[in-house]
Amino acid sequence: MTTTNEAATLAAIDLACVRGDRSLFQGLSFALVRGTLLKVEGPNGVGKTSLLRILAGLARPEEGEVRWNGKAIGGCPDFAADRRYLGHHNGHGLALTVRENLRVAAALQGTPCAGASLEQAMETVGLAHAGDSPVARLSSGQRRRLALARLILGAAGVWILDEPLNALDRAGQVLFGGLLRDHLLGRGVAVISTHQTLTLPAGIRQQTLTLAVSS
Amino acid sequence: MRTSLATAWWAVLRRDLLLSARRLGELGNPVVFFAAVVSLFPLALGADAGLLRSVGPGIVWVGALLACLLSLEGLFRADFEDGSLEQLLLSPHPASVLVSAKILAHWLVTGVPLLLITPLLGVLLNLPPLAQTVLFGGLLLGTPTLSLLGSVAVALTLGLPRGGLLISVLLLPLFAPVLVFGAGAVGSALLEMPVLPYFYMLGAELALAVTLVPLATAAALRASLGS
């Protein structure tokens, strides 16, 4: 299988990011075809989170642009519906139950929220028994699992995940590996920053982007 | 297939109301503050019925305004800190519409309780029935405007470490016209003069705020989260 004649689905073109008076990166470009995982690596403070937030459309780059199927992501409704972002914060209302949080997430993401698919997602991430517990009572690992459940509500084209393995136990990491494999095999794209090793079956396209401290 | 905007709007409104219902302690803060401020004035000024009647409307309006200011800081704070706001802005639905649901929820849990105890406070301040009705109507039109205007200032100051003071400084000039027309309407009613012009002004402010504020607040939230 050759990748050269396949059009890139997520492309970064000449991105530059400035924090305060420090330039984090510039001239950063890459192109990902469907079914590719991009791992973003580098030491702390090098701009991994900033890059992911730019790719997700939460922050604007100083220069350059991000394209989704050839169109700039700003104001592109297709991209907005196709993107799942998981940052350092899980984005749960702490006083709401697991099920209520998922229902809100489904409505916001634009996924039709049939009760069955919510139960299915909770089951997959191992929170089926905790559906009616407030998130405030969950452990941080369980909260991360709930955030993973949001990813699998409805199919999405691109996952942008910032340290998704944080707080997850060994079983949780295996679970995440499985979800990621299914996502990539389903022709999705993923951009992930992590300091831990992701074990994926052979045959999955992976690229690594190493950010270095710029002077 | 996507869910409709109405579903998402309703989900946001329901979420915020549920969250407020589970934090009843915080919910009571503004209304207790409002009642305390207004009921302290008769004690401080003495039981001169004429004096209370003439300063009463102003006291109620200032109390409502300060209570609203007090409650505003929490409007986006928790959602900002737990990451819910990011998820809201990432939704494919227009952020301005979703934000309007949050502002409506804020008004329902802070503005409406203020309205509900206003008749009681009107009696306390010895206002005649007509003035009480005008006071209630003015607050009904004015408090949503306060919530709306406040949301812009709160959104702008979200990323800042000491946003509270800045919110007050930004908002007092914006709140002033609402206060002037709201209290002016009751003053006019006490003198048996026409009150409708005041209501027109309050209504105009509300209409402007409803149409423009959600766009400004959504843009301000994007700016706060993007930095």
Side-chain angles (χ1 to χ4, degrees), chain B residues 88-181:
Chain B
L88 184 93
L89 291 184
L90 288 169
S91 166
H93 300 298
S96 53
V97 179
L98 299 178
V99 159
S100 74
K102 293 190 86 66
I103 302 171
L104 176 60
H106 176 263
W107 179 70
L108 288 174
V109 298
T110 59
V112 170
L114 298 189
L115 280 177
L116 293 181
I117 61 160
T118 301
L120 199 69
L121 299 175
V123 173
L124 194 73
L125 293 168
N126 195 28
L127 293 178
L130 175 66
Q132 286 204 35
T133 317
V134 171
L135 178 64
F136 187 87
L139 285 170
L140 184 64
L141 281 174
T143 47
T145 313
L146 298 182
S147 287
L148 282 158
L149 292 175
S151 74
V152 186
V154 179
L156 276 173
T157 54
L158 253 192
L160 307 176
R162 297 262 183 282
L165 180 67
L166 201 53
I167 293 175
S168 311
V169 173
L170 281 172
L171 281 180
L172 286 178
L174 290 174
F175 280 5
V178 183
L179 179 73
V180 168
F181 294 120

Side-chain angles (χ1 to χ4, degrees), chain A residues 48-72:
Chain A
K48 298 190 291 294
T49 295
S50 300
L51 173 62
L52 294 190
R53 290 177 71 85
I54 288 172
L55 291 178
L58 276 172
R60 290 229 179 101
E62 195 71 18
E63 285 167 28
E65 66 175 7
V66 181
R67 289 192 192 152
W68 177 245
N69 294 330
K71 280 182 282 187

Side-chain angles (χ1 to χ4, degrees), chain A residues 23-210:
Chain A
S23 161
L24 287 177
F25 49 79
Q26 51 196 354
L28 182 78
S29 299
F30 59 80
L32 303 176
V33 297
R34 292 191 171 280
T36 311
L37 165 69
L38 177 69
K39 273 197 286 187
V40 181
E41 291 179 349
N44 292 135
V46 79
K48 298 190 291 294
T49 295
S50 300
L51 173 62
L52 294 190
R53 290 177 71 85
I54 288 172
L55 291 178
L58 276 172
R60 290 229 179 101
E62 195 71 18
E63 285 167 28
E65 66 175 7
V66 181
R67 289 192 192 152
W68 177 245
N69 294 330
K71 280 182 282 187
I73 57 167
C76 169
D78 291 340
F79 177 71
D82 236 355
R83 150 199 65 191
R84 299 285 181 270
Y85 171 78
L86 174 55
H88 289 267
H89 302 295
N90 291 317
H92 311 315
L94 293 186
L96 298 183
T97 67
V98 167
R99 189 175 284 111
E100 286 163 346
N101 265 301
L102 271 185
R103 199 168 289 143
V104 173
L108 280 183
Q109 289 175 358
T111 326
C113 57
S117 62
L118 293 189
E119 303 301 321
Q120 173 100 52
M122 288 193 289
E123 176 93 42
T124 309
V125 298
L127 289 175
H129 60 285
D132 293 318
S133 323
V135 170
R137 284 211 209 116
L138 300 185
S139 74
S140 53
Q142 286 174 313
R143 292 180 197 186
R144 208 60 176 166
R145 282 169 180 257
L146 176 55
L148 294 182
R150 201 169 56 217
L151 297 177
I152 54 174
L153 281 178
V158 55
W159 286 3
I160 297 165
L161 314 177
D162 200 352
E163 298 287 351
L165 297 177
N166 271 4
L168 286 180
D169 57 11
R170 189 79 206 112
Q173 298 185 3
V174 172
L175 165 80
F176 173 74
L179 297 178
L180 180 61
R181 187 198 58 218
D182 293 345
H183 172 68
L184 294 169
L185 290 177
R187 318 272 300 132
V189 174
V191 182
I192 294 179
S193 80
T194 181
H195 291 290
Q196 303 177 54
T197 42
L198 289 169
T199 41
L200 283 171
I204 284 185
R205 274 181 230 147
Q206 293 192 36
Q207 294 179 24
T208 305
L209 176 71
T210 308

Side-chain angles (χ1 to χ4, degrees), chain B:
Chain B
M1 192 183 125
R2 286 188 206 161
T3 51
S4 68
L5 178 56
T7 316
W9 187 86
W10 175 243
V12 173
L13 179 66
R14 189 170 171 276
R15 168 188 185 276
D16 278 23
L17 292 179
L18 266 177
L19 278 173
S20 302
R22 291 184 191 159
R23 287 185 304 216
L24 274 179
E26 284 172 50
L27 193 65
N29 267 347
V31 76
V32 169
F33 175 84
F34 178 54
V37 166
V38 174
S39 53
L40 282 177
F41 270 91
L43 297 179
L45 296 175
D48 178 345
L51 176 66
L52 281 182
R53 188 178 303 181
S54 59
V55 297
I59 293 170
V60 172
W61 263 97
V62 169
L65 198 144
L66 293 178
C68 180
L69 208 53
L70 185 76
S71 70
L72 273 169
E73 226 197 313
L75 176 55
F76 296 121
R77 177 66 53 188
D79 290 346
F80 177 64
E81 281 165 3
D82 68 23
S84 307
L85 214 48
E86 279 173 1
Q87 297 299 331
L88 184 93
L89 291 184
L90 288 169
S91 166
H93 300 298
S96 53
V97 179
L98 299 178
V99 159
S100 74
K102 293 190 86 66
I103 302 171
L104 176 60
H106 176 263
W107 179 70
L108 288 174
V109 298
T110 59
V112 170
L114 298 189
L115 280 177
L116 293 181
I117 61 160
T118 301
L120 199 69
L121 299 175
V123 173
L124 194 73
L125 293 168
N126 195 28
L127 293 178
L130 175 66
Q132 286 204 35
T133 317
V134 171
L135 178 64
F136 187 87
L139 285 170
L140 184 64
L141 281 174
T143 47
T145 313
L146 298 182
S147 287
L148 282 158
L149 292 175
S151 74
V152 186
V154 179
L156 276 173
T157 54
L158 253 192
L160 307 176
R162 297 262 183 282
L165 180 67
L166 201 53
I167 293 175
S168 311
V169 173
L170 281 172
L171 281 180
L172 286 178
L174 290 174
F175 280 5
V178 183
L179 179 73
V180 168
F181 294 120
V186 193
S188 205
L190 285 171
L191 298 172
E192 293 175 7
M193 306 247 287
V195 296
L196 268 183
Y198 293 96
F199 279 94
Y200 289 149
M201 289 309 288
L202 286 172
E205 279 174 325
L206 178 58
L208 257 178
V210 164
T211 42
L212 296 180
V213 155
L215 298 170
T217 303
L221 286 177
R222 276 190 202 290
S224 287
L225 267 82
S227 58

